């Protein structure tokens, strides 16, 4: 499978998510079989002011590649300049955000608000395409609201402007993340454009990924919330698609805790223990989701401050489940 000149070894992509898809998480998902990951969204205007935090967000590691850098903004020239600066970090692709529903992004004319101005969408893609020598992808939504569902128009304009692939989150901006994604819109998009289409929305396991591919004909699936605390999903989907629908079992408790701890340590190594452990709280909560009696442990996860705290919590979880197993036997 290819996007532009980029060859990929999987049909499953990690969706960009603000506050989540940092370098440690992208690297972990890549190890478990994600075709590639995309950075948290980068402000094109912030890059003009040489913002240090923004530059850190674009730092890419060798183990996570291929990786894309996602940019957001509403000015074609500024977006082109941002793409030029992003190329200094040697990404394998540049992704343009036309789908973020967050008010602080959309109310400033960026993200999903761009879909209210299809011609500007094309201008941005054209400008970014000229500014870089890697594939350019676009991530969009169905439209602004149910009265303005214009993804087909926007997608065709972006394709004509040079977009190498289009990812569609099959909800409108006002729907945010509910109700269920409209997969039929992904099918319509696949029939309307000739570039690869990436389907996004409600991929929670291998079976749902396969259903999306079959029902829509899309080329790739993009996993977002389904990967939270669950990097194994990429491996499970890939095995299901390539090995006669074989269902790979989920991780046991020991593996789950081991991967969780390695992830949190990588997070602290990347950002320092103080910041890393504050961010670890949500990740640990996601890793523990679905375990029996997880509610109490997740409350403790919300109070983590140090790696020692994490070690104590991990020990408590492990001992509790060992005791339960002994009682059962």
């Amino acid at each position: 499978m290819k996007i532009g000149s980029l060859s990929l070894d999987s049909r499953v992509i990690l969706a960009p998510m603000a506050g989540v898809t940092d370098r440690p998480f992208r690297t972990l998902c890549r190890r478990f079989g994600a075709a590639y990951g995309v950075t948290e969204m980068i402000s094109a205007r912030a890059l003009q002011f040489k913002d240090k935090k923004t530059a850190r967000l674009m730092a890419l590691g060798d183990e996570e590649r291929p990786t894309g850098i996602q940019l957001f903004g509403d000015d074609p020239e500024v977006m082109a300049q941002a793409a030029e600066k992003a190329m200094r970090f040697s990404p394998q692709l540049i992704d343009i955000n036309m789908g973020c529903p967050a008010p602080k992004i959309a109310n400033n004319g960026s993200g999903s608000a761009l879909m209210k101005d299809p011609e500007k969408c094309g201008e941005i893609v054209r400008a970014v395409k000229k500014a870089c020598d890697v594939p350019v992808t676009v991530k969009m939504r169905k439209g602004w609201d149910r009265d303005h569902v214009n993804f087909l128009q926007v997608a065709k304009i972006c394709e004509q402007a040079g977009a190498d692939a289009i990812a569609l989150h099959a909800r409108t901006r006002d729907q945010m993340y509910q109700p269920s994604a409209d997969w039929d819109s992904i099918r319509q998009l696949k029939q309307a454009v000739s570039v690869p289409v990436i389907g996004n929305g409600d991929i929670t396991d291998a079976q749902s990924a396969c259903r999306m591919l079959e029902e829509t004909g899309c080329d790739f699936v993009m996993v977002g919330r389904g990967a939270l605390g669950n990097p194994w999903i990429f491996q499970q989907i890939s095995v299901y698609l390539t090995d006669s629908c074989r269902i790979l079992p989920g991780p046991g408790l020991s593996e789950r805790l081991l991967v969780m701890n390695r992830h949190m340590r990588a997070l602290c190594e990347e950002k320092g223990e103080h910041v890393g452990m504050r961010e670890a709280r949500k990740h640990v909560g996601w890793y523990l989701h679905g375990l029996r009696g997880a509610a109490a442990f997740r409350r403790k996860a919300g109070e983590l401050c140090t790696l020692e705290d994490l070690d104590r919590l991990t020990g408590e979880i492990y001992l509790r489940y060992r005791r339960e197993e002994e009682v059962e036997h």
Side-chain angles (χ1 to χ4, degrees):
M1 302 296 293
K2 299 186 73 172
I3 292 179
S5 59
L6 178 62
S7 296
L8 301 170
D9 58 11
S10 168
R11 298 180 71 181
V12 198
I13 298 166
L14 171 62
M17 292 177 281
V20 176
T21 52
D22 52 22
R23 180 160 54 177
F25 190 64
R26 296 192 305 266
T27 301
L28 181 60
C29 292
R30 176 63 180 149
R31 287 174 182 164
F32 276 104
Y36 67 84
V38 183
T39 64
E40 301 171 70
M41 56 185 177
I42 308 293
S43 167
R45 291 199 181 278
L47 279 177
Q48 286 188 310
F49 301 105
K50 300 180 180 179
D51 180 70
K52 292 182 179 179
K53 179 182 177 182
T54 300
R56 285 196 297 271
L57 289 174
M58 292 194 293
L60 308 178
D62 291 338
E63 292 184 0
E64 66 172 286
R65 295 180 184 278
T67 314
I69 290 179
Q70 188 185 71
L71 303 173
F72 77 90
D74 64 341
D75 184 292
E77 183 177 351
V78 174
M79 287 286 283
Q81 293 170 356
E84 289 179 359
K85 293 177 180 177
M87 289 306 298
R88 299 172 190 171
F89 295 85
S90 302
Q92 277 66 54
L93 61 85
I94 297 292
D95 186 58
I96 301 172
N97 186 317
M98 295 184 185
C100 180
K104 67 178 182 179
I105 304 298
N107 290 348
N108 288 319
S110 300
S112 55
L114 286 174
M115 299 198 68
K116 294 190 286 186
D117 190 344
E119 294 305 322
K120 181 182 282 189
C121 292
E123 292 170 7
I124 289 175
V125 171
R126 193 172 294 108
V128 170
K129 186 71 176 176
K130 288 180 180 179
C132 62
D133 58 0
V134 296
V136 173
T137 60
V138 173
K139 188 168 191 290
M140 64 175 64
R141 284 189 170 236
K142 282 176 56 179
W144 181 252
D145 56 32
R146 66 180 182 180
D147 297 321
H148 301 88
V149 175
N150 63 342
F151 67 97
L152 291 177
Q153 178 192 11
V154 174
K156 290 176 182 178
I157 289 174
C158 289
E159 179 184 26
Q160 292 168 2
D164 293 284
I166 297 169
L168 178 64
H169 182 157
R171 295 182 176 92
T172 58
R173 187 266 179 179
D174 66 340
Q175 288 179 316
M176 299 295 282
Y177 300 99
Q178 295 290 340
S180 298
D182 173 24
W183 288 3
D184 190 59
S185 63
I186 300 172
R187 180 190 61 79
Q188 294 176 46
L189 177 60
K190 177 58 185 173
Q191 294 178 350
V193 299
S194 58
V195 296
V197 168
I198 305 165
N200 180 216
D202 294 346
I203 300 297
T204 57
D205 53 26
Q207 293 92 327
S208 56
C210 186
R211 284 199 307 273
M212 177 184 279
L213 289 165
E214 291 177 346
E215 292 177 15
T216 70
C218 65
D219 303 281
F220 299 90
V221 293
M222 180 172 274
V223 181
R225 289 174 294 162
L228 300 180
N230 184 28
W232 298 273
I233 191 171
F234 298 99
Q235 185 180 56
Q236 291 167 337
I237 293 173
S238 294
V239 167
Y240 192 86
L241 295 178
T242 60
D243 191 8
S244 304
C245 300
R246 180 162 66 94
I247 298 176
L248 203 63
L253 178 66
S254 294
E255 183 183 356
R256 187 185 298 212
L257 296 180
L258 177 64
V259 171
M260 179 185 78
N261 273 271
R262 286 178 175 171
H263 182 184
M264 298 312 106
R265 278 167 164 73
L267 197 59
C268 290
E269 185 176 339
E270 176 87 5
K271 304 180 181 184
E273 189 171 10
H274 178 70
V275 174
M277 288 310 299
R278 289 182 66 86
E279 295 190 9
R281 296 170 182 174
K282 61 190 177 189
H283 285 285
V284 172
W286 291 328
Y287 275 104
L288 300 182
H289 183 75
L291 293 179
R292 293 193 310 276
F297 290 128
R298 290 170 73 183
R299 283 194 293 272
K300 291 185 177 182
E303 300 173 353
L304 293 172
C305 293
T306 66
L307 285 168
E308 288 185 0
D309 293 340
L310 177 63
D311 290 339
R312 279 193 294 272
L313 177 59
T314 302
E316 288 179 31
I317 296 169
Y318 188 73
L319 285 174
R320 171 173 173 171
Y321 280 83
R322 282 291 300 274
R323 292 194 192 102
E324 289 183 358
E325 288 177 358
E326 290 173 359
V327 170
E328 291 174 359
H329 290 90

